Amino acid sequence: MFENMLFEVQSISDARGTIYIVEQGQQLPFDVKRCYFIKELSSQPRGFHAHKTLRQLAVLVQGSCDFIMDDGSTKNNITLNSPKQALLIDTFVWHEMHNFSEDCILMVLASDVYLEEDYIRNYDEFLITVKQG
Ligand code: TYD
């Protein structure tokens, strides 16, 4: 079910370099209210949560990392290793990020501002919530 969550980032190259484009209605199925990026990553995994209402698009600016995407019944391992790849992290998807390359930079476009109450950080609570529908 997660294959259709991978989007191709448009890129245009010329002698000056390459521009990568993520645009509303193309790769982005929501309005963006927040952007953040993570870098200087250690070997420790991140994520380990799901969101109740937040939708996010993760864009790999540089390097590589693995995502575990889990909807409560299916787990998928997705490797991002190109800035031409963006991954939609939809609501109620437990996600973990592993195996960051040393140079990894991951930019995330989010549909809302930061709200801790939108997080489900406990896996058992996540499973109960998705099974309740
Ligand atoms: P968290 O979302 O748990 O990180 P990750 O999913 O990468 O493991 O966020 C780490 C900390 O940063 C946590 O205390 C919440 C805080 N935070 C903000 O204050 N604002 C933000 O926009 C984000 C993404 C995190």
Side-chain angles (χ1 to χ4, degrees):
M1 77 155 276
F2 295 110
E3 283 72 21
N4 59 357
M5 305 237 168
L6 270 173
F7 289 81
E8 189 178 342
V9 175
Q10 192 192 342
S11 67
I12 301 171
S13 294
D14 61 27
R16 300 166 299 168
T18 306
I19 182 163
Y20 294 91
I21 305 156
V22 175
E23 188 168 353
Q24 184 75 38
Q26 305 289 321
Q27 301 86 354
L28 254 178
F30 53 82
D31 291 334
V32 175
K33 287 201 184 157
R34 175 167 52 116
C35 174
Y36 61 91
F37 57 91
I38 53 176
K39 64 191 288 269
E40 292 138 24
L41 294 153
S42 75
S43 57
Q44 290 181 45
R46 302 189 63 117
F48 296 87
H49 61 256
H51 285 282
K52 298 172 194 165
T53 64
L54 190 74
R55 305 181 79 197
Q56 303 189 95
L57 188 81
V59 181
L60 187 85
V61 175
Q62 184 174 283
S64 63
C65 69
D66 294 334
F67 274 79
I68 293 175
M69 304 285 278
D70 177 354
D71 65 2
S73 50
T74 310
K75 271 187 201 190
N76 258 39
N77 199 325
I78 296 172
T79 298
L80 294 187
N81 55 18
S82 158
K84 295 200 64 147
Q85 292 175 310
L87 179 67
L88 182 69
I89 307 168
D90 223 326
T91 55
F92 296 104
V93 174
W94 184 266
H95 54 284
E96 301 171 12
M97 291 93 89
H98 296 262
N99 303 324
F100 297 107
S101 65
E102 238 172 69
D103 60 346
C104 182
I105 301 175
L106 191 67
M107 180 179 74
V108 182
L109 305 172
S111 65
D112 208 347
V113 297
Y114 169 75
L115 292 169
E116 183 56 38
E117 58 267 35
D118 193 67
Y119 282 71
I120 305 172
R121 292 193 184 270
N122 178 288
Y123 189 69
D124 292 335
E125 184 192 334
F126 165 71
L127 287 181
I128 291 166
T129 308
V130 289
K131 268 159 199 160
Q132 280 169 348

